[in-house]
Amino acid sequence: MTMNNQKNQDQLAEQLERKGLNLAAIKESLKNQVIELPSWAVGNSGTRYGTFRDPGAAQTIWDKIDDCAEIQRWVGICPKMASHVLWDVTDDGKYTPVKEYAESKGMSIGTVHPNTFMGQQFRFGSVCNPFEDVRNSTLEHFRDCVRITREMGSKSIGIWLADGTNYPGQDNLFERKHRLEEGLADLYGAMDPDMTLFVEYKPFEPAFYTTDIMDWGMSLLLCNKLGDRAKVLVDLGHHLPGVNIEQIIAILLDEKKLGGFHLNNCKYADDDLMVGSINPLELFLIYAQLTEKEAHGNSDEITYMLDQSHNIEPSIEGIIQSVMNTQTAFAKALIIDRKALAAEQQEGDVMMANRILMDAYETDVRPLLAQVRAEMGLEPDPLLAYRRGGYAEKIVKKRKGTGTNTLGG
Ligand code: PSV
Ligand code: MN
């Protein structure tokens, strides 16, 4: 550490101490942060209008693992790759080699995502489908997913259903709810006792009139009926405009029902942009709730994953930037002067309470994060370090820009 760095650190430690905060503990929290990388984000992706192919995009499951390991090399807090079962399997239908290859690269498999939205049979939904044979084949897929989760050495399954209807009168909404409850109970019952089920919600798309799990209330209702190991998954892009996500987080935390996140950012709906790129304040306020809980020594196990689609930016760079944005939000939330904030709240001083919160948000945490990275043996700026590392050029040469897309277009 240079003299200047040491001076900055000492100043920061002093400032934090005045707020009753401990620099070493904050650094420890930042070092222990874990974000799962989505295997599906390193392949080509696009919109329904087309795909701009990235010449270095991952083409095979091995490429995806290589890319995730490369990201982890620079960011150091992403040792897990979240998986989508249909897209992360060997050509001969095996999963164990995927796990083994990931391990050889220092990675493990995180949350496993079933896929009940891509087959032709799912035109009218999966577990909510009015046809019994489709419901049964969905349940079979769920049981396969439990086996795959076990085989991949993972402990969590993340379910998102594209089920819904497009037109009034298309199906009976009471019956769809019953089918949904029965289907998820079947999946839950098939899981190992140490597995957790994350239930993701989304207001619309691909269905536009009704969506069977349309919001956090529905997800919570289902999780409460299922049991302790069923928790709500919040995808940041799955809310109607104007919804206060941080309040949802506070409520779910208090109910001990927040299972995890699909991190991304949106301007309108499910835009899947880089987390923290459009609304960094919202991300900070979400982390403010998460750290509020931690500050009371009451933090639950929460799984953080990225769920993004890099359509015009190079995927690996987009992912690295997203991880950095998340670290920034977390660091700012960790330095909130909680004691002073609580005092102002008690006084009813709206102005000062807001100022204390914003003071943390406006603090430049880049030197702190650079220091944390240095202590972890990492470069201070992972994005620039990746650019200098030559991996991007290497994969373009090797993969020759023929990557297939996983999503959209
Ligand atoms: C649906 O929009 C979703 O957010 C679900 O999490 C899917 O698993 C994922 O996107 C597919 O990218
Ligand atoms: Mn998602």
Side-chain angles (χ1 to χ4, degrees), residues 30 43 55 62 71 90 92 101 112 192 208 300 344 374 383 388:
L30 289 166
W62 320 117
I71 295 167
T90 64
D92 54 351
Y101 186 70
V112 171
D192 293 348
F208 294 105
D300 300 321
E344 299 301 353
L383 182 61
R388 282 194 301 268

Side-chain angles (χ1 to χ4, degrees), residues 40 160 200 233 235 238 262 264 270 272 307:
W40 56 96
W160 169 71
E200 183 174 353
L233 186 135
D235 182 311
H238 292 189
H262 273 181
N264 52 54
D270 193 23
D272 280 336
D307 181 9

